Amino acid sequence: MSMRYLLYAVLAFVLCCMISCTGVTHDSGNNTQNDILALFEQAKEYECKGDAGKALMCYLNVIDMLSEKQDTLLKVSAYTCLGDFHFKYGMYEKAVENHREGYNIALRMNDDKLVSESAGRIGLDYLMLNQKDTARYFMERYGSVTFESGLRNVLKDNYGVSMFATGQKDINSIINTVKADSLGTLDAREKLLAIESDFMYDRLLSKKEKEKVTNIVNSALVIFTIGIFSAVTVFFYQGRRKAENNLTNIIKDDIDRKQYYTARESELSEHEKKLKSREEQLLSDESIVAVSLINRMKSSPVYMPVKSSEEWTCLFAFSEKLYPGFVESLESVEGFTLRDKEISCLTKLGFTTGQLAVFYGISPGSVTKAKFRIQKKIEASNISEIGLANV
């Protein structure tokens, strides 16, 4: 019976892992798409503000997030946007590299419109690199796919590249027009290349670290799986007697735990009763009178604020409620006068040396000396539990 329960537990664990992985993958896909769209918007904002470095980082992050994803229109758009960015800033070799990635994905997707659009962009890239034959090939490719598929206005041709493919326009005029529209200086391009180089290096290190962690996790999973099945095997062959002994120990531990919690519950219940009793004492009419008297004495110190022995009794009783055993300890000190007890009580209740000086009409120095004498008497009586640390 125990063996069967253990097998059920292992199967349940594996099933939970599979469900969790499926859920995480689905949520991760949705989150990735939302993050990519947000990065596209940020890149456009940065480009409008003229912050090319941050815009480039946004595009590079998009490419990195899509690098291991399947071929989609979003992936083609990512490479196209990054290629257009490089082209805009005069980095034509980088533009070719990214536009070709988009072109290859479009070919795999068998999307004529994307193939045509990417071919036109690559043709213009190669034209700027002064590779006329390659540029003409891609422009002819652009024209043939567009014609065969019956497409129109696939690529916005601001530079007359399609005319170059038919020999109707000079390459120099196209190059001059593109360069006139290019953004940034040579120094700016160098900085952008440095940013991209640093990004790729960081991603390489991150990828290696991720692979390392993945290998560790996979190894741990294998070890865990082997351990589980080894434990099942050992458990199976150890025999029923050992299993019963383990079960007996578990039951005994459970009983001990219940006894501990029962005892602990009794202690807490008793402590709660004591706290409730003390709360009732502190909220009694006598305590309220004492608190009112203390507040009046602290807010408006005057000479001899305690007018009667009943008020002193009330203060001593209140201090005993706050500090159980306090009054009894005062009575145990040898040589304690009534004045010593009063000063000790008021000090314990939080009255300062200056307030005591006003109460008794003496100087603060005299109060300090009186406290010193009181402390000596306490030490001489060897009563450590009196609790007069503030005296």
Side-chain angles (χ1 to χ4, degrees), residues 292-349:
S292 177
L293 177 59
I294 291 171
N295 289 336
R296 177 170 55 82
M297 293 170 65
K298 287 188 175 182
S299 60
S300 302
V302 296
Y303 176 69
M304 298 300 289
V306 184
K307 305 298 183 183
S308 62
S309 59
E310 288 79 10
E311 291 182 340
W312 277 115
T313 301
C314 184
L315 290 175
F316 276 108
F318 185 69
S319 63
E320 179 66 21
K321 291 176 182 177
L322 292 176
Y323 310 102
F326 173 71
V327 175
E328 183 180 354
S329 298
L330 289 180
E331 297 296 336
S332 303
V333 180
E334 297 181 3
F336 246 27
T337 64
L338 180 59
R339 175 64 62 85
D340 293 338
K341 294 177 182 179
E342 291 177 357
I343 292 175
S344 300
C345 178
L346 293 176
T347 302
K348 198 68 176 177
L349 291 175

Side-chain angles (χ1 to χ4, degrees), residues 347-367:
T347 302
K348 198 68 176 177
L349 291 175
F351 290 97
T352 64
T353 299
Q355 290 172 333
L356 293 177
V358 174
F359 294 162
Y360 290 102
I362 58 179
S363 66
S366 299
V367 174

